[in-house]
Amino acid sequence: MAHTIVIFGASGDLTSRKLIPALYQLHRKGRLPADTRVVGFSRTEFTHEAWREQLTETTREFAGKDFDETKWKEFSQAIFYQPGDIGRGEDFDALAKTLNELEGGQPTARVYYLSTAPQFYAEATARLGAAGLAEESHGGRRIIIEKPFGTDLASAQKLNAAVHQVFAERQVYRIDHYLGKETVQNLLVLRFANAIFEPIWNRNYIDHVQITAAEEVAVGRRGGYYDHAGVLRDMFQNHLLQLLMVTAMEAPVRRTADAIRDEKVKVLQAIRPLTPEEVARATLRGQYRGYLEEPGVAADSETATFAVVKLGVDNWRWQGVPFYLRSGKWMSCRTTQIVIQFRQPPFMMFEDGKVVGHEANRLVIQVQPAEGIQLHLQTKVPDAGMKMRLTDLDFRFDRSFAGVMPEAYERLLLDAINGDASLFARSDEVELAWGIIDPIHQAWKETRHPAMLTYEPGLWGPTESTDWMEAEGRSWFDTCPVLR
Ligand code: BG6
């Protein structure tokens, strides 16, 4: 069957940086179904040709050495443009007409991609419904919705209700690009295609889990958006909780979208939202020095650019194992990593039976960059009595596999085209995630505890975060990944 991908917000950054390059790569690799076309919709007046020309330049830049003139020419012939305003019903009627003409009345599956400003998601969905564009008699109709999905639980519920007025849940694909990363999918493979990890993947062997998404970049030009969002909405509600779910979930009974998402949802259900007193003790918030001078940021802003959140997953597997989630802008380096910190050996026959001073085993899942896995273990230092040192067994994707890691959007777009929603968030998942994040925001605002900390750019967040972790009896794994 033919496919049409309609991108709303076509003149935006995401389209030229990520979506078109990803679709082009899929075409280049021969993965797009034959007879796939792309139609852009936004307010800017472009002809088909003018939009193609602009995309030629941006794709050349973002696809880098994979840009092949001949392949791009083939692909760009299937790119079209329809100017229109989300606020105008007649523009959706015009879009419907254009789509029917392009599709020549043939049965065609359509994917609508909402990449507009988030305040237009509900309206765009309603107008798709009103123009008959969600109707499935001529092929499947799916809708991909970019993040953020709401700004809190109430707005996410409202948006879910608006979307469900027009599309059934099976047609809705809420994107979280972290799930499209190879290393995140590999975590499922690591856990559920190897028999050696599952037996120890629980409270009996694991002391705690650290999930860190550190960014080297500052807020920069995104101040207007970021100052309303802050690190909890921008990174925790979606990406960090997704990583937590994939780390903590039970093995799904089969590899179907709902079986996988059922297990993920159970993890969120097992996380008890924090009370204001717990928020004061179990979270940290910080702002990098200089944030208030960023363009678009309020001079007296109390938006956190760094946070730590300690969560517990109250079930048989994880009871008593803290999950430390941490993310921030303008930190030491760019690294997203999941650290599974195992317990100390119960008895040490070396060093007089004492367990002091020893770092216990650690599994480091390096999500990005330097994608791979390291298992840290104690090794005897040669020719030094029974002295030991933590060394590692190391797997790196780039050493074991030729070729570059694909962009997350390639996998996600292809899955949506093929109707596989496994790597997309379901409505209950999104709402449960907000149910965990909202009480933290609320407590920060109302009780003002913990106090906002300031950190110097280029560090691992506020220095108080190191002390806080020490008071927990643990230490952060503050290591930048080694890039070749
Ligand atoms: C986005 C956030 O969702 O994820 C950004 O809005 C953040 O603030 C980005 O920089 C991080 O994505 P990645 O793939 O670079 O880790």
Side-chain angles (χ1 to χ4, degrees):
M1 190 186 279
H3 288 75
T4 304
I5 300 157
V6 185
I7 304 177
F8 294 91
S11 54
D13 218 32
L14 186 78
T15 308
S16 51
R17 270 179 177 278
K18 298 285 182 189
L19 305 183
I20 295 293
L23 289 166
Y24 159 72
Q25 293 282 17
L26 290 171
H27 169 79
R28 187 181 68 80
K29 295 175 187 172
R31 308 230 171 108
L32 273 188
D35 206 3
T36 297
R37 68 184 68 74
V38 179
V39 178
F41 179 100
S42 62
R43 279 185 309 180
T44 318
E45 288 288 339
F46 276 126
T47 59
H48 300 316
E49 214 27 70
W51 197 42
R52 284 178 198 151
E53 269 171 31
Q54 196 187 73
L55 293 178
T56 305
E57 292 322 309
T58 49
T59 311
R60 196 192 302 280
E61 179 186 347
F62 295 118
K65 63 178 178 26
D66 285 340
F67 189 82
D68 171 325
E69 218 52 72
T70 318
K71 289 276 176 205
W72 169 255
K73 273 228 157 62
E74 276 166 23
F75 175 64
S76 65
Q77 290 316 303
I79 297 182
F80 304 90
Y81 189 80
Q82 170 75 31
D85 188 330
I86 303 273
R88 288 161 50 104
E90 54 271 39
D91 290 356
F92 282 72
D93 295 334
L95 173 67
K97 191 159 161 280
T98 303
L99 293 176
N100 288 335
E101 280 166 15
L102 289 171
E103 291 164 358
Q106 294 303 309
T108 304
R110 287 190 199 146
V111 175
Y112 303 115
Y113 199 118
L114 296 191
S115 165
T116 62
Q119 65 266 31
F120 297 123
Y121 292 165
E123 189 172 1
T125 313
R127 293 207 189 277
L128 282 169
L133 287 163
E135 199 267 319
E136 291 199 295
S137 57
H138 270 73
R141 302 288 182 257
R142 302 190 184 113
I143 184 163
I144 305 182
I145 305 179
E146 257 300 328
K147 67 159 276 230
F149 197 91
T151 51
D152 56 16
L153 176 57
S155 57
Q157 283 170 330
K158 208 163 144 209
L159 182 54
N160 270 330
V163 170
H164 289 153
Q165 289 281 316
V166 179
F167 293 95
E169 180 60 26
R170 66 171 170 79
Q171 296 169 281
V172 185
Y173 291 66
R174 296 172 196 76
I175 215 158
D176 184 313
H177 76 280
Y178 265 54
L179 290 175
K181 293 183 191 282
E182 291 285 324
T183 40
V184 177
Q185 294 163 54
N186 188 51
L187 184 51
L188 291 173
V189 174
L190 178 85
R191 293 193 51 203
F192 304 130
N194 294 293
I196 58 171
F197 294 111
E198 270 315 284
I200 56 168
W201 207 265
N202 57 50
R203 63 195 301 274
N204 298 324
Y205 295 91
I206 295 176
D207 176 73
H208 73 275
V209 177
Q210 294 180 22
I211 302 179
T212 297
E215 296 192 89
E216 210 173 352
V217 291
V219 167
R221 286 184 302 131
R222 296 172 75 221
Y225 149 76
Y226 194 88
D227 205 36
H228 289 106
V231 67
L232 287 187
R233 290 194 181 94
D234 190 51
M235 294 295 288
F236 281 68
Q237 186 273 343
N238 37 67
H239 310 323
L240 267 72
L241 284 179
Q242 286 294 344
L243 295 181
L244 186 156
M245 283 184 259
V246 179
T247 306
M249 70 196 273
E250 298 299 316
V253 285
R254 57 185 71 82
R255 197 164 71 85
T256 60
D258 272 331
I260 293 174
R261 297 186 299 179
D262 284 346
E263 294 308 334
K264 285 170 59 191
V265 159
K266 283 187 209 160
V267 174
L268 295 186
Q269 285 168 335
I271 297 175
R272 215 172 10 86
L274 303 178
T275 62
E277 296 71 40
E278 286 168 331
V279 170
R281 285 196 309 270
T283 73
L284 292 176
R285 54 177 172 153
Q287 208 178 60
Y288 61 78
R289 191 177 300 287
Y291 174 71
L292 299 178
E293 282 87 60
E294 298 278 19
V297 170
D300 57 352
S301 171
E302 297 214 323
T303 298
T305 61
F306 169 93
V308 170
V309 174
K310 175 186 173 188
L311 292 173
V313 180
D314 292 341
N315 61 19
W316 277 59
R317 187 190 283 268
W318 295 116
Q319 183 60 45
V321 178
F323 282 74
Y324 297 99
L325 274 48
R326 174 175 66 152
S327 181
K329 297 274 184 209
W330 210 345
M331 291 176 64
S332 302
C333 56
R334 175 173 183 249
T335 180
T336 302
Q337 61 200 14
I338 302 170
V339 176
I340 311 291
Q341 178 64 64
F342 291 96
R343 290 183 186 282
Q344 296 277 10
F347 165 74
M348 189 62 92
M349 63 179 267
F350 309 103
E351 303 192 338
D352 303 330
K354 287 196 288 279
V355 190
V356 285
H358 275 285
E359 292 179 281
N361 298 119
R362 200 159 41 209
L363 185 70
V364 180
I365 295 147
Q366 188 63 51
V367 175
Q368 65 187 17
E371 292 87 347
I373 295 169
Q374 285 180 344
L375 178 63
H376 295 192
L377 47 141
Q378 290 293 346
T379 306
K380 181 184 173 309
V381 178
D383 200 18
M386 287 313 279
K387 199 162 174 242
M388 292 175 283
R389 210 181 71 198
L390 211 59
T391 54
D392 58 77
L393 296 178
D394 195 6
F395 156 73
R396 281 271 294 269
F397 274 92
D398 62 355
R399 282 194 220 121
S400 299
F401 299 99
V404 288
M405 297 287 271
E407 275 281 335
Y409 279 95
E410 286 181 41
R411 171 69 194 259
L412 295 174
L413 279 164
L414 193 60
D415 280 3
I417 292 169
N418 291 331
D420 181 352
S422 314
L423 300 177
F424 293 84
R426 211 165 55 185
S427 56
D428 49 350
E429 195 174 326
V430 171
E431 291 182 13
L432 281 160
W434 281 120
I436 294 166
I437 297 303
D438 279 3
I440 305 176
H441 266 138
Q442 215 169 335
W444 281 0
K445 208 164 125 206
E446 285 166 13
T447 72
R448 313 187 66 75
H449 290 298
M452 180 71 82
L453 303 166
T454 302
Y455 61 99
E456 299 304 324
L459 301 179
W460 288 92
T463 48
E464 289 87 343
S465 142
T466 310
D467 306 338
W468 180 89
M469 197 56 155
E470 258 168 37
E472 291 279 303
R474 300 175 170 115
S475 54
W476 291 113
F477 182 71
D478 285 345
T479 305
C480 290
V482 180
L483 294 169
R484 262 220 286 236

